[in-house]
Amino acid sequence: MKTEEMQYANKPKDWPSNAIESRLDNIDEQLQKFKEDPSYQNKEILISLVSDYDLNQHSMLGMLRTTEYEVALINSLYIESLFLQVNSLKSYLYELIGLKTRMQKMASWFPEGLVSLEIEEFQGLMMQLKIYYMSYHAFTIDKDLSFGEKIIETLEEILDYSKENDSAEDYIEKVSFVTNGYISMLNDLSYFRCRKRTSIWTFTHEELYKLFKLAGELTTLNGDLPYERPLKGVLMTCISNYILKSRNNYNEDYICKYISPEIVNMSVENHEIWMSKIESLNDDREQRVIPELFDEEGWLQNEWVQNVDFSPKRTYYVSSFCKSLNDEDMLKDYGSCIYGYKDDRMADILAPIMYFKRKDGTKRPVFSHVVAFDVIYNRDEAKEEIIFLCKIINCFSMTDTDKNKFLEEIMQYWLLSVKDKKWSHERERRYVLFLYNDYEYRGLDISDSRFLKLKTSLFLHPDFILGDNPVKNQLKVMADDKRQAISLKPYLYCADCLNRDFDIVAGGNRNVKNCSICGSEKVSFEVPKERRI
């Protein structure tokens, strides 16, 4: 399906008439700029537009409505996000559908009865987005199940109704649409960045098992082969994303980078981050713990788990962050300047841009694959996680040989995620870049045998900084430009650490005396300039 085909709905003459419509326009405009010039600067603007952290950062100013044109624009942006692999944009669109569903529900409570409970225009959403809307709508109305369980119930009701009321041919077609839409939706949700904003997506292991069990049943019903691409790749990223992300109960801590003043000065000049090749990491036992676990007897519960080949299949580069602020050991070992981030937007910021060559010879920019996870240091915890992974693989109809091969490939995501206990004080969060040799990359230098040098906005636009930073004045100028450009609601601003906090001033509270990050009293209540809608 081409994006242009989604633009046939008539654009309302009064568009945009609310903040949501205005923001969709801004996102669409920036997306086109990024496609024309896929630079790290344009990528930063795009990611910033779709990466809110605070719950009160969204503006809902303006007319309450949903139009066919808006639905077409949502579909168009979703298709673009698939082509370009902009995962944060996918997450934003699902969040937006949930937000509009809640707004519609509240409006329907008014006694005039002018607003219906359902958003009829959302029936025109793409299948994965439509499944999400139907599940979320039922979840907010019924309030009888967890969100994961409500997704399963919604899918079962859709298929049961079709089986009873549609022809056999139509039922087969519905199974195909539902299967593809459901697995795509599950994969999209696995890239969410922040428990604070989307806590209903933090499925327990019990819920994850049920969700993947349904995926296995649907693929079998639809005649799909889980061990063949592209389904195989989607399942691997989805399963690994969710299991790895669920570590530490979907940890809500801030993520920070400790670096030296010398590197800080370099980064503001060259706009680079250096990602280490595996062989250059400071632990000489990297990638050894997982193979050692598989050599131990008595804990693996499946006969098909044997002779797993753990040799790296690609070239991997790693960037390490920490989940602790102002840790004395980290300050001493890695540097006195701390760059802080409130959610997992780094996965997109660190993703190099690679070019995908179309059949007609033209190229389109694509976000490369970055895997993010908290490192774990407990061998028993790692074993339990692998047992659960094997339980998930058993949900899909495959021979033992195919299951073994599936496990072998998906374990590539795990190799760098388990370390010895002696490193546990680092509370490390890792971002692993999978580099493919047959793609053309932009803003990337691999001439150094130890490091990959990537052009990035990561050190130019942190969410906050701590420590005596030698380039604080430059960072403040860029932080001021960014917050004034994209902020739509009042917020608390800290002149010391550059933090801005929307939640703390929700409802117009101007009496806050200290910054929630650094405790400074140099805080101010900021009201964005009025914008025309």
Side-chain angles (χ1 to χ4, degrees), residues 256-514:
C256 57
K257 185 81 169 176
Y258 289 78
I259 53 181
S260 68
E262 294 76 20
I263 295 179
V264 164
N265 282 314
M266 289 175 57
S267 68
V268 82
E269 293 177 3
N270 59 27
H271 300 182
E272 288 182 345
I273 186 172
W274 292 15
M275 300 181 70
S276 300
K277 208 169 186 177
I278 295 173
E279 293 78 9
S280 300
L281 296 173
N282 62 354
D283 181 5
D284 59 5
R285 282 180 43 76
E286 290 286 356
Q287 302 185 90
R288 296 187 183 182
V289 179
I290 288 289
E292 288 174 359
L293 294 181
F294 276 75
D295 286 339
E296 295 181 15
E297 297 181 356
W299 65 276
L300 289 167
Q301 301 174 358
N302 298 274
E303 293 183 0
W304 51 265
V305 183
Q306 52 186 325
N307 301 321
V308 179
D309 180 7
F310 293 104
S311 58
K313 304 298 189 295
R314 308 173 185 87
T315 303
Y316 302 135
Y317 292 90
V318 177
S319 185
S320 298
F321 290 69
C322 178
K323 305 300 287 288
S324 299
L325 295 180
N326 288 318
D327 182 275
E328 291 185 4
D329 290 334
M330 297 297 291
L331 288 167
K332 180 178 64 176
D333 294 342
Y334 296 100
S336 59
C337 299
I338 301 174
Y339 284 67
Y341 305 89
K342 292 182 176 180
D343 68 6
D344 218 4
R345 64 193 295 270
M346 287 86 73
D348 278 335
I349 297 299
L350 289 173
I353 300 303
M354 63 184 188
Y355 288 102
F356 177 82
K357 194 171 183 178
R358 300 184 180 97
K359 292 181 180 180
D360 62 3
T362 60
K363 297 181 295 186
R364 73 164 182 262
V366 179
F367 281 40
S368 190
H369 191 193
V370 173
V371 181
F373 49 78
D374 287 357
V375 173
I376 56 176
Y377 308 92
N378 184 294
R379 296 169 78 95
D380 289 336
E381 182 181 349
K383 289 178 181 179
E384 291 176 5
E385 190 175 81
I386 294 169
I387 290 172
F388 179 65
L389 171 61
C390 293
K391 184 178 178 182
I392 294 295
I393 295 174
N394 276 331
C395 290
F396 296 90
S397 180
M398 293 186 281
T399 66
D400 285 355
T401 299
D402 290 325
K403 289 178 182 178
N404 180 274
K405 186 65 176 177
F406 193 98
L407 175 66
E408 183 173 286
E409 292 193 38
I410 202 171
M411 287 309 298
Q412 291 288 310
Y413 298 113
W414 259 261
L415 280 176
L416 291 162
S417 76
V418 183
K419 296 182 66 173
D420 292 323
K421 189 175 181 179
K422 72 174 185 177
W423 298 98
S424 61
H425 67 280
E426 293 190 345
R427 297 191 67 214
E428 184 179 356
R429 181 163 184 80
R430 282 189 165 178
Y431 296 84
V432 180
L433 166 61
F434 286 33
L435 194 64
Y436 301 88
N437 296 326
D438 51 349
Y439 281 92
E440 175 188 348
Y441 288 87
R442 176 167 180 159
L444 185 152
D445 180 3
I446 56 173
S447 59
D448 192 306
S449 61
R450 298 170 300 161
F451 301 102
L452 175 149
K453 301 175 184 179
L454 174 68
K455 290 289 185 181
T456 177
S457 59
L458 186 75
F459 295 139
L460 305 179
H461 295 283
D463 291 327
F464 59 89
I465 58 173
L466 297 172
D468 187 13
N469 194 302
V471 298
K472 180 179 178 179
N473 289 336
Q474 293 99 308
L475 295 179
K476 184 179 184 305
V477 171
M478 288 180 279
D480 289 346
D481 289 342
K482 179 176 178 178
R483 63 191 178 91
Q484 291 166 10
I486 67 174
S487 300
L488 296 175
K489 298 179 71 175
Y491 57 91
L492 189 78
Y493 175 66
C494 176
D496 274 343
C497 72
L498 311 183
N499 170 47
R500 69 180 189 273
D501 192 324
F502 291 82
D503 289 340
I504 204 168
V505 296
N509 180 12
R510 298 171 182 256
N511 298 319
V512 180
K513 303 298 183 182
N514 301 94

